[in-house]
Amino acid sequence: MPSAATLDVRDLRMGFSTPAGLIVAVEDVTLSISKGEVLAIIGESGSGKTVTAMAIARLLPVPPARYLEGSVRMGEAQLLALSEREMEEVRGRRIGTIFQNPRASLDPSFTIGAQLVETLRRHDPALSRTAARAASAQALREVGFPDAERVLASYPHQLSGGMCQRIALAMTLACKPELLIADEPTTALDVGVQARILMLLKRRSQATGLPVILITHDIGVVAAMATRVLVMYGGQLQEEAPVEDLLERPLHPYTRALIAAIPDPDAPRGERLFIEGEPPNLADPPPGCRFAPRCPLAEAQCYKVQPALRAVGPGRSVRCHLV
Ligand code: SF4
């Protein structure tokens, strides 16, 4: 049973109905996050990390998405049992989300001020328009806009992608969520802006205890931000560890491959090491370990028997026959 955890996910199994049949995109996912933690979920495209995050916030339309098994709890609330209307309340008040494309969360036809005021008053209907405007300016200053009044009067198209992402963050944080889910929030931004936004997020989490689930494919971002890390591959958790342990002593061969794939700072821009081979086809996953076709250590049993996720130390678990 969940205790102090802000969020507690147990045995989540999630699929999509397709013309070719049911594709299970995420299975056997168990995770929890408490106040003050930044939990990074890392993996390549198609590993299941984004589906897991979207499933927690119930942002995947049903159908074609299907919740097959498991539970997602916040305090006393079992999120998978809530109606869509109740879930909208949870998303507005308890779970904040920011995504890769900040412009998608801003309406191009309204000023930033109008949108921030509207968001704050929806969150707290007792707030007067004047008070909401003042709170909006304060929220912008907290994400690094000293000229908040100018930004409030601007339309999204007048601002850069990095500014829009900071505004999306301000909008989300101003509603004081209990949990923030950030899905690749800085991937589309240049390195300097990325560092600034990540630092803002980290400072806010440290200052207020806001738990953050950070979805990323970038080990550098994990090293800078996370307190704990989940590694996903083929729709399954492969390894979980505190961040220092994971970076200093990765146990799973896939985690080692991901760390080795950090961009080489001396390599020409954009050039990086890739992991050989292709991720598994989830419509027809391999019968044994999902990483076996790409694993340099694979043995005969790896192709036949699926390894279970096993605890191997405090806060550490791994899914590999050889660990
Ligand atoms: Fe590699 Fe086998 Fe471990 Fe899978 S179970 S990661 S194939 S060694």
Side-chain angles (χ1 to χ4, degrees):
M1 278 297 288
S3 52
T6 302
L7 176 83
D8 194 80
V9 178
R10 299 272 144 188
D11 306 318
L12 183 66
R13 190 160 178 262
M14 180 86 209
F16 295 94
S17 299
T18 75
L22 177 70
I23 293 179
V24 177
V26 158
E27 66 176 26
D28 194 18
V29 168
T30 291
L31 65 88
S32 65
I33 182 167
S34 302
K35 273 191 141 224
E37 285 196 297
V38 177
L39 176 69
I41 307 183
I42 185 158
E44 295 167 284
S45 300
S47 61
K49 58 190 192 306
T50 291
V51 172
T52 299
M54 303 273 274
I56 289 169
R58 292 227 345 234
L59 285 167
L60 298 165
V62 178
R66 284 174 59 188
Y67 287 83
L68 302 165
E69 274 171 43
S71 77
V72 178
R73 247 176 207 289
M74 271 190 94
E76 293 305 306
Q78 168 55 263
L79 301 192
L80 300 190
L82 299 184
S83 67
E84 186 45 41
R85 199 188 165 95
E86 289 167 326
M87 200 55 216
E88 271 174 25
E89 282 278 299
V90 170
R91 283 194 293 266
R93 294 174 183 277
R94 301 186 68 186
I95 302 180
T97 47
I98 51 170
F99 296 102
Q100 190 176 134
N101 180 5
R103 290 189 196 279
S105 55
L106 297 172
D107 189 326
S109 47
F110 291 95
T111 62
I112 301 301
Q115 295 183 60
L116 262 166
V117 166
E118 165 69 18
T119 302
L120 286 171
R121 293 190 77 211
R122 209 179 320 122
H123 179 70
D124 179 3
L127 205 62
S128 71
R129 200 160 277 283
T130 310
R133 179 93 185 174
S136 300
Q138 179 58 23
L140 289 180
R141 282 192 284 274
E142 282 173 10
V143 296
F145 289 110
D147 53 348
E149 286 302 330
R150 183 185 68 80
V151 177
L152 286 174
S154 304
Y155 287 87
H157 74 269
Q158 296 172 308
L159 305 168
S160 69
M163 292 167 92
C164 288
Q165 189 60 294
R166 274 193 285 154
I167 290 161
L169 186 58
M171 215 176 251
T172 303
L173 295 178
C175 294
K176 300 188 172 54
E178 292 166 41
L179 169 71
L180 178 67
I181 297 177
D183 186 358
E184 304 272 13
T186 56
T187 300
L189 307 174
D190 72 45
V191 177
V193 180
Q194 170 172 335
R196 188 169 187 189
I197 289 174
L198 291 175
M199 223 15 79
L200 273 170
L201 208 49
K202 188 171 184 173
R203 273 207 298 269
R204 179 58 77 99
S205 175
Q206 286 171 339
T208 64
L210 174 68
V212 179
I213 296 180
L214 178 67
I215 312 298
T216 181
H217 65 278
D218 187 335
I219 286 275
V221 169
V222 170
M225 294 287 295
T227 51
R228 208 149 50 84
V229 190
L230 300 178
V231 180
M232 288 196 76
Y233 182 80
Q236 298 173 326
L237 293 182
Q238 303 296 338
E239 183 162 5
E240 173 175 5
V243 67
E244 297 83 6
D245 295 349
L246 188 102
L247 296 176
E248 282 167 22
R249 204 166 65 89
L251 298 177
H252 196 286
Y254 177 63
T255 312
R256 285 188 223 136
L258 271 182
I259 291 173
I262 288 175
D264 177 353
D266 297 326
R269 188 171 164 75
E271 202 173 293
R272 55 184 293 167
L273 299 167
F274 285 99
I275 303 172
E276 292 259 345
E278 295 294 323
N281 174 4
L282 294 181
D284 183 21
C289 171
R290 295 198 170 171
F291 190 53
R294 302 168 83 184
C295 180
L297 304 179
E299 298 180 344
Q301 66 164 339
C302 301
Y303 292 94
K304 295 186 210 134
V305 182
Q306 198 172 126
L309 189 70
R310 287 180 301 112
V312 291
R316 293 207 76 164
S317 52
V318 65
R319 186 189 295 276
C320 174
H321 290 306
L322 302 193
V323 178

